[in-house]
Amino acid sequence: MPATDRDASAGNPLVAAILQGNAPRPLRLTAARGVLPITRIDLLRVVVSLAADPEAEIREAAETTLAGFSESEIAAQMSEADVSVELLRHFASDTASRPAITEAILGNSATTDDMLLLMIPSLTTPLIDQLLVNQT
C-alpha cells in the first residue's frame, strides 16, 4: 500500500510541518527554493506540496525547484512501491511531455483508477498498450 505524505514525513519534523500546513513562511520559502537539507524524495514531496501554496512567491519558487528535477529522477521515484499517493496523483495529472514518468506511473501497482483517468488524454498508443497489459 502506498504511503501518504503524512505517513512518509513522520521521520522529519520539518517535512511533516510543511506537508501538514503548519510550517512558518521562512521554512516554506527555504524549502520551496530547494535549500532545505533533506533527502531528494522529501524535497520532491515538499516542493510538490508548496507548488500549491497560497503565497505566490512560495509557489513560484517551488515550481522553479520542481523544474530542476530531471525526468529520470522523478520517474525513478514514481516507480517505487512506497511512493506517496500525493506524488503519484500530482505527476499523473501532468504527464503529456514526460514519457518516462508516464511509464513509471503506469507500471506502479499503487496507481489508482482515478490517476489513470487523469492520464488517459495524454497517452500514446504504446502507453495504452502498456496500460492494458498491466491491467490483465
Side-chain angles (χ1 to χ4, degrees):
M1 177 177 208
T4 64
D5 276 342
R6 181 171 291 139
D7 298 334
S9 66
N12 187 319
L14 297 177
V15 172
I18 294 166
L19 295 177
Q20 294 168 6
N22 301 327
R25 184 183 191 286
L27 178 59
R28 294 188 343 262
L29 187 56
T30 299
R33 290 179 176 156
V35 294
L36 197 63
I38 55 179
T39 65
R40 290 294 282 178
I41 186 60
D42 281 343
L43 182 60
L44 185 59
R45 285 198 316 265
V46 164
V47 296
V48 163
S49 174
L50 292 173
D53 196 273
E55 290 191 42
E57 182 181 13
I58 293 172
R59 270 194 320 274
E60 291 166 9
E63 290 167 3
T64 299
T65 301
L66 192 53
F69 280 85
S70 70
E71 180 178 350
S72 62
E73 186 175 13
I74 294 169
Q77 294 300 328
M78 295 305 100
S79 66
E80 293 292 326
D82 63 346
V83 66
S84 74
V85 170
E86 292 85 356
L87 279 181
L88 278 172
R89 184 167 288 111
H90 173 81
F91 288 104
S93 68
D94 181 29
T95 60
S97 61
R98 300 183 285 188
I101 296 171
T102 303
E103 289 180 32
I105 294 170
L106 289 176
N108 193 317
S109 62
T111 301
T112 62
D113 291 345
D114 67 308
M115 292 176 206
L116 295 174
L117 289 172
L118 292 172
M119 298 172 71
I120 286 174
S122 65
L123 294 181
T124 62
T125 301
L127 291 173
I128 291 171
D129 290 343
Q130 179 184 345
L131 172 63
L132 294 173
V133 168
N134 287 347
Q135 295 300 307
T136 59

